[in-house]
């Protein structure tokens, strides 16, 4: 086992080197150790099945998850939020899974996946390497990277710690209310009232950094400062 | 400063009452008065936000002749059969309950020295700050052969309500294989994608009821909003039905004869069954009467939408000449919030936050085939300037187009609840 892991790592160094030389995108930099990933995955098995005969349980089965549209299994009942993420254009790739596994709410605010996330990039890389083994065409998905090189998508704690000014938030929020109803009703556009501040801030920064795909929301978020996002979060949290 | 000013205003208002009776309400009590003319996306929003946010510190009067407001946005969807006409109608009851004095009358004049607005029904209303949001009127003589007296024979349907119902009835009454003509307006005009969404919706209706009918557009513009998206959709859904004559082929050289029901494009006369004339537009007449227009529109400062002719008058939405924003309900609603914040700040000393503007226009091309274009804007010394934008792409998936349409339905619910409560 150990020697196998080392060999993988050596192999990966070569791969990574060539990837960097050829200027391959981040997502092509590779995954981790599938054996270690199988261990990490144990905490997922209460809800998710994978492998021969895997079926949907509390969560959808994860066979062939790479290349699947978010919310894309027809016979699984997803949260509205997850279905919307799929329609907005989220596909499960190395990059999007990495973001989602780090903090599910960064991509899907009201996901039913009640999981705090994997902080360590190596854990995520290893789990994805394990998931890759159940993909239809693993050759399409990069393998093996030497150490945790994953990008941390988590927000700087200093950004999460900003205390927003609700009065400024109220003014800024007037722009949101053209589409998002102040009374919390949702009719084709999600409600954004009474969200926990952290969820709101994480979601807006995900749009701002284009981790989430919606073009209007990316545009609106792009011109908001960290303080303005905090102000909006503070205002909407208490809006009844 | 604030106290002195308000004391002065109180005195001035009291004097005005004694000199210029009858007033609709007595000024005084030291409260500031904001009068809003026009209860659409700009005016209703401004009135509601000022009343709500000032928590009784400012008296707000909204002057709007209609008791039921029909939104121009989404009226094309009624033409296409996707909405009931009643779903476009909104009353002012909740705005009144929110503390706005709603006066159903026409504003027919502004006395900028006395700071009063005259009403068609008699009397006048005093103001400290006046917000004009009257939408559009049509330029006289813009389309040869057409004037407002011809609007029954050849509807404009560019102010929603009975005109929109009339146009739909006319389309449904067309003989099989008949012709629907549209005279499209020159820039700038209300709702840049509007005429082309209308063509899409009429085509959708005709495809169901009258599949051999034709649509003929005479257009003075080289290009139009979301052109690639509309043309892709017309080819896909309504192949062979829509013909557009641009300026290269005389689309700007048009006259109509409402009695004969003919349209002449570059001298070639065609008999048509329905003729939707959308003339060139200008600011709603009260803006001109107030003396704040320059040419067809009312120039404003980008920071707060105040008129460049009078610092105590603000002009919102379609009537304003502000820079880069399109004339749309979304734009008017966005401008209203910036204006409301500035007016409240000027009258009560509340914080005036920096202006931020945005707009998105959704259009429906066919069932579940929605597209959108949007942008954000900022205030510069010169104008409202575009910062950033996006537009739907041709060739998007059906699921994406359906999601865009569903989003537009959500937006309609959102903006009407933002305007009317």
């Amino acid at each position: 086992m150990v020697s196998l892991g080392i060999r993988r790592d050596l192999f990966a160094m070569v791969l990574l080197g060539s990837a960097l030389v050829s200027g391959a995108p981040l997502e092509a930099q590779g995954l981790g150790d599938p054996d270690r990933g199988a261990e990490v995955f144990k905490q997922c098995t209460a809800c998710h099945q994978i492998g021969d005969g895997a079926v949907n349980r509390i969560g959808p089965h994860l066979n062939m998850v790479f290349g699947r549209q978010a919310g894309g299994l027809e016979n699984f009942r997803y949260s509205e939020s997850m279905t919307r993420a799929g329609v907005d254009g989220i596909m499960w790739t190395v990059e999007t899974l990495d973001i989602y596994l780090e903090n599910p709410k960064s991509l899907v605010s009201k996901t039913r996946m009640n999981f705090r996330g994997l902080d360590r990039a190596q854990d995520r890389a290893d789990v994805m390497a394990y998931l890759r083994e159940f993909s239809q065409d693993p050759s399409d998905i990069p393998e093996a990277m030497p150490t945790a090189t994953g990008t941390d998508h988590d927000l700087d704690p200093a950004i999460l710690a900003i205390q927003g000014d609700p009065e400024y938030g109220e003014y800024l929020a007037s722009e949101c209310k053209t589409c998002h109803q102040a009374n919390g009703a949702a009719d084709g556009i999600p409600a954004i009232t009474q969200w926990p501040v952290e969820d709101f801030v994480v979601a807006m920064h995900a749009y701002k950094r284009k981790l989430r795909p919606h073009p209007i929301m990316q545009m609106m978020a792009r011109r908001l400062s960290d303080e303005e996002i905090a102000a909006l979060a503070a205002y909407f949290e208490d809006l009844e | 400063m604030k106290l002195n000013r308000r004391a002065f205003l109180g005195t001035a208002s009291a004097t005005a009452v004694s000199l210029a009776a009858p007033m609709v309400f007595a000024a005084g009590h030291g409260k500031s008065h904001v009068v809003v003319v026009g209860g659409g996306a700009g005016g209703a929003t401004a009135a509601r936000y000022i009343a709500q946010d000032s928590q009784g510190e400012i008296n707000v009067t909204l002057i709007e002749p209609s008791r039921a407001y029909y939104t121009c946005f989404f009226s094309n969807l009624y033409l296409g059969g996707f909405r009931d006409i009643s779903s476009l109608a909104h009353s002012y009851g909740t705005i009144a309950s929110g503390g706005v004095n709603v006066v159903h009358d026409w504003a027919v004049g502004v006395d900028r020295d006395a700071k009063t607005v005259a009403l068609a029904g008699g009397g006048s209303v005093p103001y400290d700050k006046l917000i004009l949001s009257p939408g559009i009127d049509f330029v006289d003589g813009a389309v040869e052969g057409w004037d407002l007296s011809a609007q029954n024979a050849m509807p404009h349907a560019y102010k929603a309500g009975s005109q929109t119902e009339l146009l739909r009835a006319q389309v449904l009454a067309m003989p099989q294989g008949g012709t629907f003509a549209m005279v499209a307006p020159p820039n700038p005009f209300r709702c840049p994608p509007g005429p082309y969404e209308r063509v899409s919706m009429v085509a959708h209706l005709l495809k169901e009821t009258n599949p051999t009918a034709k649509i003929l557009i005479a257009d003075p513009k080289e290009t139009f909003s979301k052109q690639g998206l509309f043309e892709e959709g017309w080819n896909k859904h309504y192949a062979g039905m829509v013909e557009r004559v641009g300026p290269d082929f005389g689309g700007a050289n048009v006259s109509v004869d409402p009695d004969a029901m003919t349209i002449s494009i570059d001298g070639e006369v065609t008999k048509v069954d329905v003729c939707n004339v959308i003339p060139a537009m200008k600011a709603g007449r009260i803006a001109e009467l107030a003396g704040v227009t320059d040419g067809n529109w009312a120039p404003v400062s980008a920071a707060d939408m105040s008129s460049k002719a009078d610092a105590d008058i603000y002009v919102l939405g379609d009537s304003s000449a502000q820079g880069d924003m399109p004339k749309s309900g979304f734009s008017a609603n966005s401008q209203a919030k910036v204006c409301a914040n500035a007016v409240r700040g000027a009258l009560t000393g509340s914080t005036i936050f920096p202006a931020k503007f945005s707009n998105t226009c959704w259009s429906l091309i066919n069932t579940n085939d929605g597209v959108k274009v949007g942008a954000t804007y900022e205030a510069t010394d010169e104008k409202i300037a575009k910062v950033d934008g996006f537009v739907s792409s041709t060739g998007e998936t059906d699921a994406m187009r359906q999601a865009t349409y569903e989003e537009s339905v959500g937006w309609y619910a959102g903006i009407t609840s933002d305007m009317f409560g």
Side-chain angles (χ1 to χ4, degrees), chain A residues 51-74:
Chain A
D52 284 348
V55 294
N56 296 329
R57 289 186 32 187
I58 295 169
H61 75 74
L62 296 175
N63 290 339
M64 288 180 274
V65 71
F66 286 98
R68 185 195 290 173
Q69 186 180 25
L73 287 180
E74 276 183 12

Side-chain angles (χ1 to χ4, degrees), chain A residues 87-88 165 167-168 170-172 174-175 177-179 181-182 187-189 214-216 219-220 222-224 228, chain B residues 49 53 333 337 341 351 353-358 372 375 377 388 390 403 406-407 410-411 413-415 418:
Chain A
V87 171
D88 283 350
D165 168 7
E167 193 195 351
Y168 189 27
E170 180 173 15
Y171 167 71
L172 293 168
S174 68
E175 194 160 42
K177 291 178 192 166
T178 304
C179 298
Q181 296 182 55
D187 180 13
I189 289 179
H214 196 279
I216 297 179
M219 182 178 79
M220 300 306 288
R222 198 145 59 225
R223 67 167 172 170
L224 293 171
E228 288 172 333
Chain B
Y49 270 74
D53 293 344
N333 171 267
K337 291 161 184 175
N341 181 255
T351 311
F353 294 108
K356 276 182 197 275
F357 303 96
S358 55
K372 59 187 171 186
Y377 304 86
D388 196 4
F390 73 89
E406 286 166 3
E407 186 177 271
W411 165 75
I415 191 172
D418 198 33

Side-chain angles (χ1 to χ4, degrees), chain B residues 304-363:
Chain B
D304 59 1
M305 303 303 292
S306 62
S307 163
K308 291 195 171 168
D310 186 330
D312 289 323
I313 298 181
Y314 300 74
V315 186
L316 303 180
D318 296 349
S319 283
S320 64
Q322 33 69 22
D324 295 349
M325 295 184 83
K327 297 185 185 300
S328 74
F330 197 127
S331 292
N333 171 267
S334 173
Q335 292 159 11
K337 291 161 184 175
V338 170
C339 174
N341 181 255
V343 165
R344 187 161 64 93
L347 294 176
T348 70
S350 63
T351 311
I352 299 178
F353 294 108
K356 276 182 197 275
F357 303 96
S358 55
N359 176 65
T360 299
C361 290
W362 287 265
S363 300

Side-chain angles (χ1 to χ4, degrees), chain A residues 23-68:
Chain A
L26 173 73
E27 64 186 68
Q29 285 184 17
L31 302 177
D33 176 352
D35 297 328
R36 205 184 150 267
E39 291 299 311
V40 179
F41 187 76
K42 281 181 179 167
Q43 57 189 305
C44 314
T45 55
C47 301
H48 291 287
Q49 291 191 356
I50 194 164
D52 284 348
V55 294
N56 296 329
R57 289 186 32 187
I58 295 169
H61 75 74
L62 296 175
N63 290 339
M64 288 180 274
V65 71
F66 286 98
R68 185 195 290 173

